[in-house]
Amino acid sequence: MTTSVWNGAGRRIELCDVGLRDGLQMEAQFVPTEDKIALVNALSHAGLSKIEVTSFTSPTAIPALRDGVVVMREIERRPGVTYTALVPNARGAERAIESRTDELNLVMSVSETHNLANLRMTRAQSFAALAQVITMAQAAQVPVNVSLSCVFGCPMEGNVALDAVWDHVQRFADLGVAGITLCDTTGMAFPTQVGQVVAAARARWPGMAFTLHFHNTRGMGLANVLAAIDAGAQRFDASLGGLGGCPYAPGATGNVCTEEVVHALQLMGYDTGIDLPALIATAARLPALIGHEVPSQIVNAGCRLDLHPVPAGFDAIRERALAR
């Protein structure tokens, strides 16, 4: 069964770590700028091919990322690594481009209700604003990725019609974006749905670089990753330590955890290009920086073959058992 999803057979899976943006923006405790820079550099050295470094938003809107310009300018740039950032508008795009951001990540929702609640704009208004940013980025020769939120469901509307998803994918494809991320913003996706959506998207736009963005809110994050791989996906967002959440989905957790996904995929024979021990060591820095434990089961429990010493008095236990 060499073509089964259960046997990676060396197939390459690309991961973009979004923990420093999608994760840290939800944290009450400000992580010092020098520590953010050190985390980005550590992820680069661990083998991540793409890192979402920060967000060029208003400091009053997201104070946790108010140092985005400094972080982006002072990180170590390693060959082969794409350093991306979330950009909400033209002013943010200007700051990102001036800070030598490799790729702009633009966001809007395919749910009208979620877009209004999250961005204070209708979908039509968001599209018009993002089209302006795309034009600006293309003039500066900076690639653009568009993340479409709530593709797999909206916490206020429920199911989202795929026609609305495909309409926005086509409109952004027509503008010449480099990639599109299909986002399970609030952890509503399930594996059967994921497989169908990914297969349909790849069939309609075979030349588009699709990324999948899953949250683990209902415990289906890794299962959704595998369903997407089975349908042909090869690019995923994931969050260091499993950090993150969503202000419009009570109880929402972070993205699928980067080190958990890497751990699972490597055991299954996939090639992620990532040094897992170095990645885990980086994630293990987070609790001291954010003031609480992280959701990562790998940080908390270790890898599958991280062995433990036998119980105290084990030799006596064995001797008594053999004497029976």
Side-chain angles (χ1 to χ4, degrees):
M1 296 179 64
T2 57
T3 59
S4 167
V5 68
W6 305 112
N7 186 342
R11 178 179 169 188
R12 184 62 176 259
I13 300 297
E14 302 287 348
L15 296 180
C16 171
D17 191 277
V18 300
L20 298 179
R21 195 280 300 173
D22 210 352
L24 293 188
Q25 73 177 11
M26 299 295 295
E27 296 297 327
Q29 185 164 308
F30 181 79
V31 175
T33 303
E34 60 271 21
D35 289 309
K36 290 191 182 89
I37 293 169
L39 288 171
V40 174
N41 293 344
L43 288 173
S44 297
H45 282 268
L48 271 295
S49 58
K50 181 183 283 192
I51 302 167
E52 191 171 49
V53 174
T54 190
S55 175
F56 288 92
T57 53
S58 164
T60 56
I62 306 181
L65 302 180
R66 60 182 182 266
D67 53 358
V69 169
V70 177
V71 173
M72 186 62 82
R73 286 179 177 172
E74 295 191 6
I75 55 173
E76 175 188 351
R77 306 287 179 129
R78 286 180 64 84
V81 181
T82 299
Y83 299 94
T84 183
L86 186 143
V87 172
N89 51 39
R91 176 58 189 140
E94 290 175 356
R95 293 167 62 215
I97 293 169
E98 290 168 358
S99 303
R100 298 189 298 120
T101 305
D102 293 332
E103 178 188 87
L104 307 187
N105 184 30
L106 315 184
V107 177
M108 68 165 289
S109 181
V110 292
S111 157
E112 184 78 357
T113 304
H114 184 266
N115 205 71
L116 281 164
N118 190 40
L119 300 176
R120 305 296 191 264
M121 291 187 285
T122 66
R123 289 176 297 182
Q125 290 167 337
S126 280
F127 179 81
L130 296 187
Q132 178 185 359
V133 174
I134 292 168
T135 299
M136 179 186 307
Q138 289 172 339
Q141 298 184 321
V142 177
V144 171
N145 181 83
V146 174
S147 291
L148 297 176
S149 301
C150 294
V151 166
F152 300 92
C154 169
M156 292 163 281
E157 292 184 10
N159 289 324
V160 173
L162 275 180
D163 285 347
V165 178
W166 302 151
D167 175 64
H168 283 88
V169 171
Q170 186 61 61
R171 294 171 74 186
F172 283 113
D174 289 343
L175 293 179
V177 300
I180 291 177
T181 301
L182 304 176
C183 299
D184 178 31
T185 311
T186 60
M188 297 173 70
F190 59 94
T192 309
Q193 175 196 33
V194 168
Q196 293 169 348
V197 170
V198 171
R202 295 183 71 247
R204 286 174 177 242
W205 296 277
M208 178 60 68
F210 284 108
T211 298
L212 278 299
H213 176 108
F214 296 119
H215 284 244
N216 198 40
T217 303
R218 292 168 179 84
M220 288 189 281
L222 183 55
N224 288 332
V225 169
L226 295 177
I229 290 173
D230 195 38
Q234 61 185 38
R235 299 176 185 85
F236 296 88
D237 286 346
S239 177
L240 187 70
L243 295 182
C246 178
Y248 301 102
T253 60
N255 295 78
V256 289
C257 174
T258 308
E259 57 271 22
E260 289 179 1
V261 172
V262 172
H263 179 255
L265 293 183
Q266 289 187 356
L267 287 172
M268 296 168 67
Y270 289 92
D271 172 20
T272 64
I274 294 172
D275 180 339
L276 182 57
L279 179 64
I280 295 170
T282 304
R285 301 184 195 179
L286 291 173
L289 295 174
I290 62 177
H292 62 82
E293 295 300 312
V294 294
S296 170
Q297 295 300 312
I298 300 300
V299 168
N300 295 328
C303 296
R304 173 176 173 267
L305 289 179
D306 287 349
L307 304 183
H308 303 276
V310 297
F314 180 77
D315 289 341
I317 294 170
R318 180 170 54 193
E319 288 176 8
R320 287 194 297 269
L322 294 175
R324 289 175 186 167

